[in-house]
Amino acid sequence: ETLALHPDGRMTWAGKDVTLDSFSVPDDGELRLLPDRDLPAAKLIEIASELQANGTGDSLVVTERGQ
């Protein structure tokens, strides 16, 4: 599963909207972040930092492959 990060700051997990307060880190502690290409980098860093402060272990940022 991936935590999708939308350009408006909204986050979805398994197709449902979540917030930083309501999101539970997966049992294995590894999280895949899928930021929208229009999400500002500063917002991605902010979200990743908050997730780490909330107990997320390793986070992987998933990107699209260039053509």
Side-chain angles (χ1 to χ4, degrees):
E1 296 273 352
T2 59
L3 180 63
L5 309 175
H6 302 272
D8 59 2
R10 195 169 44 90
M11 300 184 303
T12 53
W13 177 260
K16 297 182 181 180
D17 285 343
V18 295
T19 65
L20 287 170
D21 293 332
S22 70
F23 180 71
S24 296
V25 177
D27 290 337
D28 63 8
E30 186 175 284
L31 180 61
R32 294 180 189 275
L33 302 175
L34 179 61
D36 186 278
R37 69 178 346 155
D38 294 326
L39 180 74
K43 186 67 176 174
L44 172 59
I45 299 295
E46 175 186 326
I47 291 170
S49 295
E50 289 188 45
L51 287 167
Q52 188 173 32
N54 290 344
T56 301
D58 294 331
S59 294
L60 304 171
V61 177
V62 180
T63 61
E64 70 179 47
R65 185 176 177 175
Q67 295 187 15

